[in-house]
Amino acid sequence: MPIKTLTTIRKSTTGVQGLDELTAGGLPSGRPTLVCGGAGCGKTLLGMQFLVHGATQAGEPGVFMAFEETAAELAQNVASLGFDLEDLTTRGLLAVDHVRVDRDAFQDSGEYDLEGLFIRLGHAIDRIGAKRVVLDTIETLFGGLPDPAIVRSELRRLFRWLKDRGVTTLVTGERGSDPLALTRHGLEEYVADCVIVLDHRVQGMVSSRRLRVIKYRGSRHGTNEYPFLIDETGISLLPVTALGLHHEVSDARVPSGVAGLDEMLGGAGFFHGSSVLISGTAGTGKSSLAAHITAAACERGERVLYFPFEESSSQIVRNMRSIGIDLARWVERGLLQFHASRPTQAGLELHLSRMLAQIVAFDPQVVVVDPLNSFVTTGNADDVKLMLLRLIDTLKQRQTTAFFTSLTAGGEGLERTDTAISSLIDTWLLVRDIESGGERNRGLYILKSRGMPHSNQVREFTITHDGIALREPYNGPQGALTGSARLAQEAREQADQVLREEEVRRKQEELSRRRAAMEAQITAMREEFAALEAETQTLVVQARTREEQLLQDRRAMARSRKSEAQ
């Protein structure tokens, strides 16, 4: 039995950043989509952005039929986003029609229908060859009808009529008082092929907007709630699921600018494109370490984008100058950009959108965020984590090395962060105060560094006029020592070393004297032995000489006696 090939429905891109990824391509082509939500959540803007994108980018003219705002009011409202409705209308790419609904003229006769709307809308579609239609908002048409049966019948007929025309339709609807219903009439979400809910909420005096795809017939889609932003470019959102874990990684290493830290990281520094977290209590040198990393990247000719949320750029430049780091020259050369702002200035989505826009515009190799904790004041920890997750994933996709600082409150566990993103980080550095001998000193160690061997030692570091200097680890009799305790112990050990060296020198001199005396004694004995040996040799020679003489005398005597006998 042959295997059937799966077919997917056609889709129309929306032009909304993130929404097309979330819906795997856009809205269903030739079908109605319902966008519902309360006042001020962005329904009208989403519909207009959908039409403008279709007219300018997809080659699909569109009709916007408004029941609350006139064409002039709509044109004026969206002009700040760069949408020129008058130009699009003149070019035959867009038709804007305002339908005034007089509720006083409605009569409860049961004969009310939308035939007139169908004729008017059909004429606008045929006039420009529209492929897209937006109806804003549908509740206005039925506001004066008390009979729910009529409302249901006309809604079904409207959505069927739009499907039969083959136009991709976006219908906006208002949320009602019933918390279980998405719209006032509770029917639109059932007859629409795709339903999107927009929400505008305020938490901690900071407003935020959320988007959720409730259903999408015939297509996969993201089902979570995603924050979105309305700015000068329109609506944009960056859903987590649109990013995934498919980014490339690099084996290249980048130095930190602190020689001792690079040694702790296997001798080569961080991985290019990785994420690095520097956490610690106040005053431990997190920002100074971030400045070192920034200056080192600029020295290599890399562009650095620095996002401070507690200090102004001029304050950072002045403060870092006191430790020998001149960041101003890199700003002047265009390798370093600061974008300082207060976390409470905007919501998380606006901060994220601005940061991503600046990242795209500047295209940095390194991004520094100092500190992360500031965002906790503008949202709960879960929202902040999702925001930072999107930021980190975006930077990883761009192969941008990211450095984050995080303030740890005193008295709490140091191996934790308020934003709970430690699991997302590739390298985690912890800087801490070490109290001993009535003073506080700084220590640094590496909690983790994925993919590389790294030191497990606590290294003391000092902040001097020449920057940060890491000292070799020192363990005294009572454990690791820092500060004056280390200096005192080193002084004692140095004095002991001097004494030991003096004792060794004295012993060596005594040994030398004894060696000399022994060698002199050996020499005298050798000389005495040599004299005795010489005397002995003389005696031996004399003895041999006497023996030979005696032998010769005997021979001579023998010869003499033989002669006498004759």
Side-chain angles (χ1 to χ4, degrees), residues 474-523:
Y474 179 84
N475 292 318
Q478 304 300 325
L481 299 179
T482 60
S484 61
R486 172 175 178 161
L487 295 176
Q489 181 64 25
E490 287 178 344
R492 288 192 294 270
E493 290 185 355
Q494 186 175 5
D496 292 341
Q497 180 68 22
V498 171
L499 293 176
R500 288 193 297 271
E501 291 176 355
E502 179 64 25
E503 180 67 17
V504 169
R505 185 186 62 80
R506 188 181 63 79
K507 290 291 186 181
Q508 288 177 340
E509 290 179 353
E510 182 180 355
L511 181 63
S512 297
R513 288 193 301 269
R514 290 188 177 186
R515 180 182 292 109
M518 184 184 65
E519 289 178 352
Q521 185 177 4
I522 292 173
T523 301

Side-chain angles (χ1 to χ4, degrees), residues 128-140:
I128 64 172
K131 301 296 182 181
R132 301 186 178 199
V133 170
V134 172
L135 302 179
D136 183 47
T137 65
I138 196 67
E139 273 76 21
T140 307

Side-chain angles (χ1 to χ4, degrees), residues 358-431:
Q358 290 154 358
I359 290 170
V360 171
F362 190 54
D363 191 23
Q365 283 80 38
V366 175
V367 168
V368 178
V369 180
D370 180 30
L372 295 177
N373 306 71
S374 302
F375 291 110
V376 178
T377 60
T378 61
N380 60 53
D382 291 337
D383 291 340
V384 174
K385 183 176 181 179
L386 290 176
M387 174 251 189
L388 295 175
L389 173 61
R390 296 193 295 274
L391 176 60
I392 291 173
D393 281 348
T394 301
L395 294 176
K396 284 184 177 292
Q397 283 188 334
R398 299 177 63 88
Q399 283 289 288
T400 302
T401 309
F403 294 90
F404 306 95
T405 68
S406 176
L407 176 64
T408 302
E412 297 183 0
L414 295 178
E415 298 180 7
R416 62 177 297 275
T417 59
D418 291 341
T419 52
I421 67 161
S422 57
S423 62
L424 309 176
I425 296 298
D426 298 311
T427 299
W428 188 1
L429 309 179
L430 179 62
V431 287

Side-chain angles (χ1 to χ4, degrees), residues 10 12 28-33 50 60-63 121-122 124-126 129-135 158-170:
R10 293 186 305 109
S12 300
S29 298
R31 301 184 183 186
T33 295
F50 170 69
E60 297 181 353
V63 173
L121 183 57
I125 293 174
D126 295 337
K131 301 296 182 181
R132 301 186 178 199
V133 170
V134 172
L135 302 179
L158 173 62
F159 278 73
R160 174 51 56 188
W161 183 85
L162 291 169
K163 277 189 175 183
D164 293 341
R165 294 300 300 252
V167 293
T168 305
T169 307
L170 190 152

Side-chain angles (χ1 to χ4, degrees), residues 219-238:
S219 173
R220 63 180 178 84
H221 60 87
T223 58
N224 295 330
E225 198 174 43
Y226 304 98
F228 71 93
L229 177 69
I230 297 178
D231 58 12
E232 62 275 4
T233 62
I235 293 179
S236 61
L237 73 155
L238 189 64

Side-chain angles (χ1 to χ4, degrees), residues 191-209:
V191 295
D193 289 83
C194 177
V195 178
I196 299 175
V197 175
L198 306 182
D199 179 43
H200 189 194
R201 66 188 67 168
V202 177
Q203 292 179 336
M205 295 185 295
V206 177
S207 66
S208 61
R209 293 180 171 88

